[in-house]
Amino acid sequence: MDKLHEALRRHFGYTSFKKGQEEIVKSVLEGQDTVAMLPTGGGKSLCYQLPGLLTDGTVLIVSPLLSLMEDQVQQLKMRGEKRAAAYNSALTHQEKEYILKQLHRLKFLYISPEALQSEQMVRRLQTMKISLFVVDEAHCISQWGHDFRPDYSKLGDIKKKLGSPVTLALTATATEETLKDISRMLGLNEVRYLIHSVDRPNIALHLEEVQDTAGKNERLIELVRKLQGPGLVYCPTRKWAEELAGKIAEETRMRTEFYHGGMDAGDRMLIQQQFIRNQLDIVCCTNAFGMGVDKPDVRYVIHVNLPQTIEAYMQEIGRAGRDGKQSVSILLKAPGDRGIQEQLIQTEALTRQTIDFLYEKLADVRDERGARESLEQSGLTETQARHFSHLFFKFRHLGNKARELIYQEMDFRRQQKLNKMAGFAQITESKGCFREGLLSYFNETLSAGKSGNTACCTHCGLNLEDYETKGDHPFMNQLTAWEEELDTIFAASRDRIC
DNA sequence: CGTGTAGCCCGTAAGGGCTACACGGTGCATTACT
């Protein structure tokens, strides 16, 4: 047994790596900046935890969600690794101070891109040895870094300030364009790409045209009534998710809940846990749902509207069938589908005149914080203000060209991504294979062995009846005896806490 | 762009029909207050 496998066994208790892990571990241990794709549930955290344990210094992990950080830290602690902590706004003043003091003793530090902007934190990190700089869910850099969470685009600078430690960016789904964007934004030069196919052969692809919104809702009820669950229904708006959940619950009596970013953290956590523990049949959600939800047996994912990007679509349908069993994804489309997404993009966009006006207004502003305040006073939303001030400071040194660049950045990027998604959805008008069409956006071709696979897509002879509930029980996921018992225990302890 | 709703008209009154208008996703952090 070589050293690596020996360490794998000793620290994690595994005798072999999962697909793709070993390459990634070796790559970073060789000191190579690496951008890697690994299927969700494929054991991403091991890819930095094992190298971290085998080298001196601290592993710094940038993570997009507070809940993900908490999960990871807890898992490490449960495995007996106490030198792990998360640093973010969920902490009190005292806790933050404590972590800053103990920083050099940590093996794994999880942090949000925003918290990593803190000068105090950076100064402390500069005095330490960072063995590995990790960006988890690295597609967020490209997906959010340009507008929604600009601090993601500043990770490259931070990395440099920390003396450019070995960097590892991890994601499950990214087009070639996104992978390049990630490397560029992180300022990686000689980067090694460890890529696998984004294809998930056990997820059948079905697209279906309906008349209008009423038609979608009607068809959806029909589908969830028949399909074997559990399932996810992705909706474009919070309201739609709530109404659908109500309607499904009423008409099918299946255990249905909704989930979106407007709910408080406790409710969100509860729904997520219930879904994972098979106490719900269906969750109607917005794009807020999914990251960090590692449920193996989701049998279908239905979209009642176009997602905004192909990558979002991939991520979302990819939540089905993690156990490798046959699952199905269904996109219900209707003529005016682009409308909502277009509008969502537009509400954050600014006109040329507004940009000119605001550009003048910011002339004397010194820092981003001041800029944001001033912009919000001018009536911009929080997101708009952050986006604009980010672009302002990025381009202002270019003088006259700056405004034009800001204008282009604000308008086009997201529009283009939506165009591609809408372009893909038009595939129903051809006779082509959906899977081939979809993979082409990732510069992939369908690997051999597909012929005769009727579970591929609508145009390859997919039969939705194969995904319907069979057997006597109208509801899936009847709890087994021990699960029920466990539940009573949990419920009891929950009551005590409340 | 599409949907839902508030408010108006009509005028036996009630409620149907119309127009105008608002609204729409993703999460970090931070603040001053009860």
Side-chain angles (χ1 to χ4, degrees):
Chain A
M1 193 189 291
D2 62 22
K3 270 189 180 170
L4 215 50
H5 281 82
E6 154 66 23
L8 177 69
R9 197 187 50 76
R10 194 177 50 216
H11 293 291
F12 294 87
Y14 301 140
T15 50
S16 64
F17 286 102
K18 287 192 195 174
K19 194 174 169 249
Q21 284 179 329
E22 188 170 4
E23 268 184 297
I24 299 171
V25 170
K26 279 184 175 164
S27 179
V28 297
L29 281 176
E30 284 164 15
Q32 176 75 55
D33 286 344
T34 306
V35 175
M37 271 162 81
L38 207 66
T40 341
K44 272 191 297 175
S45 48
L46 186 140
C47 296
Y48 58 81
Q49 287 173 1
L50 185 57
L53 292 167
L54 294 175
T55 44
D56 281 341
T58 303
V59 181
L60 186 61
I61 306 112
V62 179
S63 170
L65 301 183
L66 302 181
S67 59
L68 284 184
M69 295 184 226
E70 266 166 50
D71 273 5
Q72 296 288 331
V73 171
Q74 218 161 32
Q75 277 178 29
L76 278 165
K77 290 198 167 158
M78 262 164 36
R79 273 216 338 266
E81 177 56 80
K82 293 187 181 124
R83 300 167 297 168
Y87 185 89
N88 53 46
S89 65
L91 303 178
T92 63
H93 247 310
Q94 289 92 332
E95 287 169 328
K96 282 186 182 176
E97 297 262 310
Y98 181 76
I99 290 184
L100 277 169
K101 259 186 216 154
Q102 301 293 316
L103 215 52
H104 58 284
R105 296 206 181 143
L106 289 177
K107 192 78 214 173
F108 301 104
L109 176 64
Y110 289 83
I111 193 162
S112 64
E114 287 82 5
L116 198 46
Q117 296 303 307
S118 145
E119 274 185 40
Q120 196 187 8
M121 177 53 90
V122 172
R123 272 200 303 274
R124 280 291 279 119
L125 290 171
Q126 280 170 333
T127 67
M128 299 164 41
K129 178 171 164 51
I130 306 296
S131 57
L132 189 57
F133 182 72
V134 182
V135 184
D136 197 12
E137 307 286 355
H139 58 276
C140 294
I141 296 178
S142 183
Q143 184 189 319
W144 286 343
H146 297 285
D147 40 54
F148 183 52
R149 291 176 70 179
D151 288 334
Y152 256 110
S153 70
K154 293 169 187 156
L155 293 179
D157 289 340
I158 302 284
K159 189 209 70 174
K160 219 185 259 175
K161 281 186 193 165
L162 299 180
S164 294
V166 180
T167 302
L168 171 64
L170 286 163
T171 180
T173 315
T175 61
E176 196 178 312
E177 205 183 316
T178 301
L179 292 171
K180 281 187 188 152
D181 201 30
I182 292 170
S183 314
R184 193 178 54 76
M185 302 247 281
L186 286 176
L188 305 181
N189 294 323
E190 289 173 33
V191 54
R192 182 178 296 163
Y193 291 97
L194 296 175
I195 308 300
H196 68 89
S197 170
V198 295
D199 188 26
R200 299 276 303 279
N202 65 316
I203 303 175
L205 303 173
H206 178 70
L207 275 75
E208 190 175 316
E209 180 109 32
V210 289
Q211 278 282 305
D212 50 20
T213 304
K216 283 181 180 180
N217 289 342
E218 198 180 311
R219 177 70 176 131
L220 183 94
I221 297 285
E222 202 179 328
L223 284 167
V224 299
R225 214 193 278 279
K226 287 183 186 164
L227 289 173
Q228 165 150 357
L232 286 172
V233 180
Y234 275 97
C235 305
T237 65
R238 295 172 176 182
K239 202 171 165 192
W240 200 334
E242 290 192 14
E243 283 171 2
L244 257 187
K247 209 171 159 200
I248 294 170
E250 194 181 311
E251 294 197 18
T252 71
R253 306 200 50 212
M254 279 188 271
R255 299 167 301 175
T256 311
E257 283 290 352
F258 59 85
Y259 181 107
H260 57 64
M263 300 158 62
D264 71 57
D267 288 347
R268 290 175 63 164
M269 187 66 79
L270 180 67
I271 304 294
Q272 197 174 302
Q273 288 305 315
Q274 286 181 329
F275 187 61
I276 290 171
R277 281 157 46 188
N278 288 336
Q279 293 166 343
L280 291 173
D281 301 302
I282 302 166
V283 175
C284 298
C285 57
T286 62
N287 55 353
F289 189 84
M291 251 199 290
V293 178
D294 201 5
K295 181 172 171 61
D297 60 345
V298 177
R299 291 277 72 89
Y300 66 83
V301 173
I302 303 178
H303 284 86
V304 298
N305 205 88
L306 290 183
Q308 232 175 61
T309 69
I310 296 249
E311 277 145 310
Y313 178 59
M314 253 345 220
Q315 291 258 352
E316 287 159 7
I317 66 175
R319 283 167 193 141
R322 297 229 173 118
D323 53 10
K325 294 184 187 159
Q326 278 302 323
S327 310
V328 64
S329 73
I330 298 173
L331 172 61
L332 296 178
K333 50 175 258 182
D337 265 5
R338 276 185 68 133
I340 294 175
Q341 300 297 9
E342 199 107 35
Q343 211 42 44
L344 282 172
I345 293 171
Q346 278 308 308
T347 48
E348 293 298 331
L350 298 170
T351 64
R352 221 177 193 120
Q353 284 166 327
T354 314
I355 289 173
D356 284 343
F357 171 77
L358 295 172
Y359 193 88
E360 297 297 329
K361 191 176 158 118
L362 292 187
D364 301 328
V365 174
R366 296 248 169 240
D367 58 359
E368 283 215 32
R369 208 182 158 135
R372 279 186 217 171
E373 251 169 52
S374 164
L375 291 168
E376 282 192 52
Q377 273 168 18
S378 306
L380 265 61
T381 65
E382 190 201 341
T383 313
Q384 283 177 317
R386 210 178 21 242
H387 187 188
F388 189 91
S389 75
H390 166 63
L391 294 175
F392 180 79
F393 284 99
K394 184 173 169 190
F395 292 130
R396 82 191 294 192
H397 68 280
L398 296 172
N400 288 338
K401 276 170 73 182
R403 277 184 234 196
E404 181 59 27
L405 287 169
I406 293 176
Y407 181 68
Q408 285 179 11
E409 284 279 322
M410 287 213 95
D411 208 38
F412 297 129
R413 187 184 305 277
R414 305 178 71 196
Q415 200 74 43
Q416 279 171 353
K417 292 203 163 196
L418 177 58
N419 286 344
K420 289 196 173 166
M421 183 65 225
F424 167 68
Q426 284 190 353
I427 198 166
T428 50
E429 293 159 25
S430 75
K431 290 194 170 162
C433 166
F434 295 171
R435 193 171 302 271
E436 272 174 19
L438 189 55
L439 290 180
S440 71
Y441 287 93
F442 296 85
N443 281 0
E444 277 188 47
T445 49
L446 204 46
S447 47
K450 173 219 153 184
S451 56
N453 180 8
T454 52
C456 178
C457 70
T458 323
H459 284 176
C460 294
L462 165 70
N463 185 2
L464 275 185
E465 283 176 18
D466 294 343
Y467 298 88
E468 294 179 0
T469 307
K470 296 168 191 82
D472 309 329
H473 290 293
F475 304 130
M476 295 306 305
N477 309 316
Q478 299 288 338
L479 296 182
T480 56
W482 69 267
E483 277 177 317
E484 268 177 29
E485 197 168 324
L486 202 57
D487 265 305
T488 9
I489 296 167
F490 273 125
S493 64
R494 205 169 38 234
D495 290 344
R496 268 205 307 281
I497 293 162
C498 293

